[in-house]
Every structure is written in C-alpha cells, then in structure tokens.
Amino acid sequence: MHKIRSGTLAALILGGILTPSPLLAASGADAIRTAALADEIAMDFTEGLTTEVGPRPAGTPQEARARDWAVAKLKSLGFSNVRAEPYTMPVWLRGHDEARVIAPFPQALVLAALGNSASTPDKGIEGDIAYFPTLADLEAVPDGSLKGKIAFVSHAMHATQDGSSYGYFGATRRQGPSVASKKGAIAILIRSIGTDNHRQPHSGVQMWADGVKPIPAAALSVPDADQLVRIVSRGQAVRLHLTLTSKMLKDQPSGNVLAEIPGSEPKAGIVVAACHLDSWDQGTGAIDDGAGCGIVAAAALQARNTGPLRRTIRVLMAGAEEVGGNGGRAYFDAHGKEAHAMAMESDFGADRVWRVDFKLPQGQDALARRVIAGLAPLGIGASRLPAGGGSDIEPLVKAGVPVIDLQQDGTRYFDIHHTPDDTLDKIDPAQLRQNVAAWAVALFEIANAPESLGSN
C-alpha cells in the first residue's frame, strides 16, 4: 500500500496549482462528456429495478430478486464476469406499526419502526411520554429514571448541500434507542431524521449497544413529532399506546453482484465503482440507491466506449448496506487481498455532482489535475477536503485503497431518504445524466492513469 497523504493535495488545490487547464480537458474527456450527457442507460436501469423488483429489504426474497435482475441486466449490457456472490446474515422484518395518543388529546400518530427495533406484544404497550428536546437531554438523566416511560426525542435536522448534518442528528436514531433503554424506558420515539414536512416517517437502522436490552423504537413523521411536542407543551401527562411488531431471522441469504469491464493490464489493479442494491421497505429505493447503481453501470460503459482501458473497472452492487454495510464487508473478505487501484461509491441520490474530493497516494497530483480538468466543464469544483468513501467501500478505504468522492447536491436528499416517497419520479433525468458524465470522466482517467495506484 502507498501512504495516503490528503493534506498535500488539499494545499495544492487551495494554492491554485491544481487549477484545471483547458488542454487537459480535451480529447477523451470531451468525448465522454458529450456521450454521457445523452445517456439513457442509467435511467433505464433505475426504472427497471424499481419497477420490476420494487422495495428490496436486505436479506429478503425481494433482495434476492434484485440480484437476479441485476445479473441478467448487466449481462445484457455487455459486462463481463457478471456474478452474484452470496453470504448469510441476520434479518430484521417489520410487522405492524401504530401509535395513538390516549390522553389528554386522543389521536393517531404516523410512525415507522427503526431497523432492529424490539417487538411489542401484538396488543401493544402503553406508557406516559418522557419528552427530551435533544439526545443530550436524554443522555443527561440518571440510568433507570425512565422506568415505565416512553422516551420521546425531538431533535430537528436541517438541510445542507453536503449532507453534513446527517452525522450529528443521525446519532438520535443510531444511539438513541440504546440510551433510552439504559435509562429504563419501555420504548422510544424520535423525530424522523429528515428535512421534509410531509406526513411520512423516515426509517433507518440502529444498532444496540453491548449489554443493552432491546426496546421498541420508532421514528415519527416530522409533522407528527411537531404535533406531539405541542401536546406535551400543554403541561398535562401524555399517555401513548404503541404497537410495533417485528421479528428477527437468523442466517438469511443476501449477496453482492459484481460485473467488470476488463482492462488490458490486470496487474495495474482494479477500479471499484460501488453502489448498493438493497433498500428500505417503504419506498422503491430509487434515490437510495437504485440511481447509484444506474450511474455506476452507465458510467463504466461510457468509459469503455471511449477507448481501451488499462485497468479493470469492477462494478460492485452491494447487498445489505442499509442494515450495516454487510455487503461491503463481504466484498472485502472475498477480494480484499486483490490489487485495488481506486475505490468510488455512488450512494447519495441522483442530484447533480458539484464537488470532487480526493484521497490519493503521495505524488499523484497529476491524476488529480486530469480528473479536475475533465470535471470542470460539468460545473464541478475541486474540494479542499479529503475523500472518505461510503459504506460499501469503507473496508477498502480503511485498508489504504485510494478513493475519490464525486459529491452530489444533498439539499433535498433527506426530504426523501428512507421514506415511502423514495420513488422514481423524484429523479431528475438531466441531473442523473450529469452524474453519469462525471463518473465516466473519472473512471476513464483512473482506469488509464499511467501512475501506480493502490495496492499494486
């Protein structure tokens, strides 16, 4: 492995040394952009996956149908070495989700159980609400102090272009249930980790901390969270009836789908272009992450059509990303010792790419300049921040494989993320094609880079 040094590259970008040159943007990049901006494959792929398969929860028969569908589709598009690589995993399945305020103002609430939620009895449970404006407020109360209570955390997330608020506010979903259990709560409700005002809840996974007793856990739609805050503000005890039935299954089949555009020099290393096939159960997984799979498949084909490639481009359509990145770990277990030149991932919707981040080996500034130059006509600027990758390539990145992030505009992403509204109509075809163009440029430059990259 080469030592990764992102600070040097950031300094060069800031200092203007990596300012794109018009000469560097010519030839192959021009041809790729022109062709990719008329691409129909990405939308066709996404439309087919969301229509012919629909929701694809990890480890379910629907996810298995998605693997079969993707294998057939990728073969028909002309990819080589197309195959599914299976593994097994525990699977959480949603049952019936329902909540009602019993007193003082009886009414129904709209919510969705969080992944790995414990189940209530079929008849549900009842408890008084213990309200906490933030996760920190919940963390501050003594352990055991919420015995018999249903914790409610209202911690409002706000939209950002780069999606950076998700890390902070998402802790309410990821750690909140474990914290509530430690405090003695019989269940927890959170405000959805989303930025919309629609009456639809945002699901998502949470993992129980070691030694913590699982409790029922659910996300209220944003308007219903606001409503519950108003009810609590009246100063009377608020009692709730909650039904969240679910079950856990052991050793269920999941798997990854791999496909390749072979390069002429196998020893030069593999360029991984990743996405994930699974989705949450409420929508059809169009922006998360059907579009990502359409983008990487279409871009790999555009790169191939531009000319011979030195390195192999391997498309990784991972399974079970939504529930903890199982597919990415399974890929690394199976392929981590292979020579990887670069890893990239598309898993942030389908809105336009606006920024490129790098984490490259020392001395690879020329490659960065070529990528920046090819992306500049698409309205994409270079970042001063190091690339980090995503869940499906995280094990590769931790192992030192170089990574480039094509950052998409996330301003509206969390309006839709993990909701019933994640459907095909939310995709803007023009922005999707801009993604394909950006990815195709980057893949072509990386695949043909004369430099030594990654673990080769």
Side-chain angles (χ1 to χ4, degrees):
M1 290 288 178
H2 292 276
K3 183 178 180 181
I4 300 296
R5 290 183 59 187
S6 58
T8 300
L9 182 60
L12 290 171
I13 293 170
L14 285 173
I17 296 174
L18 294 186
T19 301
S21 163
L23 294 176
L24 291 169
S27 65
D30 286 339
I32 289 174
R33 286 192 304 270
T34 299
L37 289 173
D39 177 78
E40 298 295 339
I41 293 174
M43 181 58 83
D44 177 70
F45 187 102
T46 310
E47 190 275 342
L49 180 63
T50 57
T51 301
E52 298 173 25
V53 180
R56 307 170 295 281
T60 66
Q62 296 99 304
E63 190 196 36
R65 287 201 298 115
R67 288 193 297 279
D68 292 343
W69 185 94
V71 166
K73 185 68 171 179
L74 292 167
K75 286 181 177 178
S76 74
L77 289 170
F79 282 88
S80 300
N81 304 322
V82 182
R83 73 271 194 193
E85 296 188 344
Y87 54 86
T88 60
M89 54 175 285
V91 172
W92 176 86
L93 295 177
R94 184 190 313 280
H96 179 64
D97 301 342
E98 183 180 1
R100 301 192 313 275
V101 176
I102 300 171
F105 311 121
Q107 56 193 278
L109 299 174
V110 176
L111 82 174
L114 298 175
N116 295 324
S117 169
S119 182
T120 67
D122 289 344
K123 293 184 179 180
I125 58 174
E126 289 187 8
D128 288 347
I129 288 291
Y131 171 57
F132 302 95
T134 70
L135 179 61
D137 294 319
L138 173 62
E139 292 172 327
V141 301
D143 288 356
S145 62
L146 300 184
K147 186 176 181 180
K149 303 277 190 175
I150 297 175
F152 166 46
V153 181
S154 177
H155 204 184
M157 179 177 168
H158 303 286
T160 57
Q161 186 178 19
D162 63 359
S164 55
S165 61
Y166 185 53
Y168 175 70
F169 288 99
T172 305
R173 187 193 79 208
R174 295 187 298 268
Q175 285 90 50
S178 290
V179 175
S181 179
K182 289 178 181 179
K183 306 303 180 182
I186 60 172
I188 181 173
L189 302 179
I190 67 167
R191 178 191 297 265
S192 279
I193 309 304
T195 52
D196 64 307
N197 290 306
H198 296 159
R199 202 177 185 194
Q200 54 182 12
H202 296 241
S203 191
V205 74
Q206 56 82 39
M207 301 292 186
W208 298 108
D210 291 342
V212 167
K213 176 185 176 181
I215 59 175
L220 291 162
S221 77
V222 173
D224 285 82
D226 289 339
Q227 178 79 331
L228 191 54
V229 169
R230 287 191 292 268
I231 292 173
V232 169
S233 72
R234 294 317 199 248
Q236 303 178 54
V238 179
R239 192 161 183 84
L240 201 76
H241 185 277
L242 180 66
T243 304
L244 299 176
T245 61
S246 61
K247 58 183 178 181
M248 290 290 300
L249 302 176
K250 295 181 179 179
D251 299 327
Q252 298 301 298
S254 184
N256 298 328
V257 171
L258 275 62
E260 294 175 351
I261 305 292
S264 61
E265 297 182 30
K267 291 183 179 180
I270 299 161
V271 180
V272 170
C275 62
H276 68 85
L277 272 177
D278 65 309
S279 75
W280 282 101
D281 53 326
Q282 299 183 97
T284 60
I287 70 158
D288 188 18
D289 184 32
C293 289
I295 289 164
V296 299
L301 293 171
Q302 292 288 353
R304 179 199 65 184
N305 293 342
T306 303
L309 303 178
R310 180 183 176 219
R311 293 183 174 88
T312 293
I313 297 174
R314 178 180 289 167
V315 170
L316 165 61
M317 297 186 174
E321 185 274 344
E322 294 291 2
V323 296
N326 301 64
R329 292 192 297 274
Y331 175 83
F332 188 78
D333 289 344
H335 301 281
K337 293 182 180 180
E338 297 174 19
H340 286 84
M342 189 74 67
M344 299 174 64
E345 181 167 354
S346 181
D347 183 18
F348 199 45
D351 284 356
R352 65 180 298 274
V353 177
W354 66 285
R355 192 182 88 195
V356 58
D357 304 340
F358 297 91
K359 187 182 280 188
L360 300 179
Q362 183 178 4
Q364 302 306 329
D365 304 331
L367 172 59
R369 284 194 294 269
R370 294 193 300 273
V371 173
I372 292 168
L375 296 177
L378 295 168
I380 299 168
S383 167
R384 68 187 68 185
L385 301 174
S391 297
D392 300 311
I393 60 173
E394 182 177 0
L396 291 171
V397 175
K398 286 183 175 179
V401 174
V403 58
I404 295 176
D405 290 338
L406 295 175
Q407 300 285 9
Q408 294 154 295
D409 188 334
T411 305
R412 69 181 187 120
Y413 181 73
F414 292 105
D415 289 354
I416 304 164
H417 179 247
H418 294 180
T419 74
D421 220 18
D422 183 1
T423 49
L424 186 71
D425 56 293
K426 307 310 181 300
I427 295 175
D428 180 327
Q431 295 193 65
L432 183 69
R433 288 191 289 269
Q434 188 258 11
N435 273 262
V436 174
W439 266 82
V441 166
L443 288 177
F444 183 80
E445 294 291 357
I446 297 163
N448 284 320
E451 295 90 346
S452 176
L453 296 170
S455 55
N456 55 87

